Amino acid sequence: MSTNVLRTPDGWWVVRDERAVRVETKAVTTAELIAHRTAVREAAASGESGTSVADLVALPPVTTPCRVVAQMVNYRSHAKDSGFTGDIPPTFFRKASGSVSGPHDTIVRPSHVNFLDYEVELGLVLGATLPVGTVVEEQELPRYVAGLVLTNDVSARDVQLTKTQFYESKSYPTFTPTGPYLALLEPEDFARLIDLRLRLSVNGAPRQDRTLADMIVRPAQALTLLARFQTLDPGDLLLTGTPGGTALKAPPKPVAKISALLPPAVRWKAFFKGQAKNPLYLRDGDLITATIATADGRIDLGEQRNAVADAR
């Protein structure tokens, strides 16, 4: 069964229900903790009553600097929302690790961003080096993936679309809330990945809700494709895409065909004029709640609660 680990300013803790037991380790980074898995198991087996989780301040369980890589359009429902038809080529992009923030930190919207969007995503945390040229079979996932985290790939859509700039649009500080838990998996847990359900709501209103059955390129294949050109190391993070339900959606096909005939500046001006009427984009004072878990709770990555605030 997976083991949930919480990172705080005071170190690492194993979480059991509403209690947490300190992990006796000198590990500072996520990679060091993964290498000291024995200490995690000892804390999990401890008979100590521990400390109330409510009394602890959760930091992102993925320490930085690290590589943060993400998959684009990797759920069928998101592909449909985005106007894609037919086969979708697997695509990766990078995010700055400086965007990683805590599971309850405020998401800050930069003053020049008008269309701020959310994307709940399952994050894979590497537990071993993945060299260029590696082919990862399904049964080999436990060799390379140590655990899972809940993430939110926050996106500045007006930067992303007008500049075709994924790196900038998704890399501002606070744009990757991560945690609260690092769920360290046992080999038998990997068979349950398909059952994980991703949910996100804004101000209590459901926006995203899908299981990994909706995923197009699954983790083993994604790691194989990524290893064609990119090495990953323990503690690195791969975001595996988001389901449908984001604020951004493709315009109807007739509108898209007509707008394609317009000069880019005119096209984008018209597009965002229409988007300004969309109430789903994030605004100052909104509260985002996100979870990822199996129905039976065998794997449960905890809950994120992130307020949104305009830059001051």
Side-chain angles (χ1 to χ4, degrees):
M1 186 170 179
S2 63
T3 302
N4 280 349
V5 179
L6 184 72
R7 176 173 164 253
T8 75
D10 299 323
W12 302 90
W13 305 71
V14 166
V15 175
R16 300 187 306 226
D17 297 324
E18 301 301 320
R19 310 294 293 181
V21 175
R22 186 186 296 276
V23 179
E24 297 300 331
T25 177
K26 295 181 180 178
V28 175
T29 68
T30 303
E32 290 170 346
L33 179 78
I34 291 169
H36 202 185
R37 188 77 176 260
T38 300
V40 175
R41 291 193 172 100
E42 289 174 352
S46 168
E48 294 181 33
S49 60
T51 301
S52 171
V53 173
D55 294 334
L56 300 175
V57 177
L59 299 177
V62 175
T63 55
T64 57
C66 66
R67 294 182 184 92
V68 181
V69 185
Q71 292 177 257
M72 184 180 79
V73 191
N74 196 35
Y75 281 73
R76 295 175 184 85
S77 55
H78 190 210
K80 182 178 179 180
D81 282 355
S82 302
F84 287 90
T85 57
D87 293 336
I88 301 169
T91 305
F92 299 93
F93 59 90
R94 288 287 292 269
K95 296 188 68 159
S97 65
S99 68
V100 173
S101 56
H104 308 304
D105 291 350
T106 297
I107 297 167
V108 179
R109 181 180 70 87
S111 58
H112 64 281
V113 172
N114 295 309
F115 298 92
L116 190 67
D117 209 348
Y118 48 84
E119 296 186 6
V120 61
E121 305 207 11
L122 175 68
L124 309 182
V125 180
L126 273 288
T129 297
L130 181 78
V132 170
T134 303
V135 175
V136 182
E137 304 292 347
E138 285 289 338
Q139 64 271 22
E140 294 178 310
L141 265 179
R143 177 190 298 184
Y144 296 103
V145 176
L148 312 174
V149 288
L150 165 61
T151 67
N152 187 350
D153 180 22
V154 179
S155 306
R157 298 300 192 193
D158 34 354
V159 175
Q160 176 186 339
L161 297 178
T162 59
K163 293 185 175 183
T164 26
Q165 178 53 272
F166 279 71
Y167 187 73
E168 178 183 347
S169 66
K170 293 167 174 283
S171 288
Y172 294 102
T174 73
F175 271 31
T176 315
T178 302
Y181 303 137
L182 167 61
L184 294 174
L185 303 183
E186 300 297 336
E188 61 271 17
D189 294 321
F190 285 83
R192 299 299 309 279
L193 296 188
I194 193 70
D195 300 322
L196 287 168
R197 181 173 292 276
L198 290 73
R199 291 187 173 97
L200 181 142
S201 63
V202 179
N203 301 326
R207 299 283 181 88
Q208 296 181 277
D209 187 352
R210 287 290 191 284
T211 69
L212 262 66
D214 190 36
M215 185 179 276
I216 299 170
V217 176
R218 299 207 177 151
Q221 184 186 0
L223 291 174
T224 297
L225 293 170
L226 190 56
R228 291 183 303 180
F229 60 91
Q230 169 76 78
T231 293
L232 293 178
D233 290 312
D236 286 345
L237 176 62
L238 172 61
L239 279 60
T240 56
T242 196
T246 61
L248 177 67
K249 291 178 177 61
K253 288 184 179 180
V255 175
K257 289 181 178 179
I258 294 172
S259 66
L261 303 175
L262 301 173
V266 177
R267 181 170 68 246
W268 287 124
K269 183 177 180 180
F271 176 78
F272 283 112
K273 183 178 180 180
Q275 291 295 296
K277 302 173 185 177
N278 183 345
L280 300 183
Y281 285 104
L282 298 169
R283 292 173 171 78
D284 184 77
D286 283 347
L287 178 65
I288 306 169
T289 304
T291 60
I292 298 178
T294 58
D296 61 4
R298 181 186 177 102
I299 303 174
D300 187 341
L301 307 186
E303 181 184 72
Q304 286 186 1
R305 293 177 64 83
N306 301 99
V308 177
D310 292 343
R312 305 299 186 213

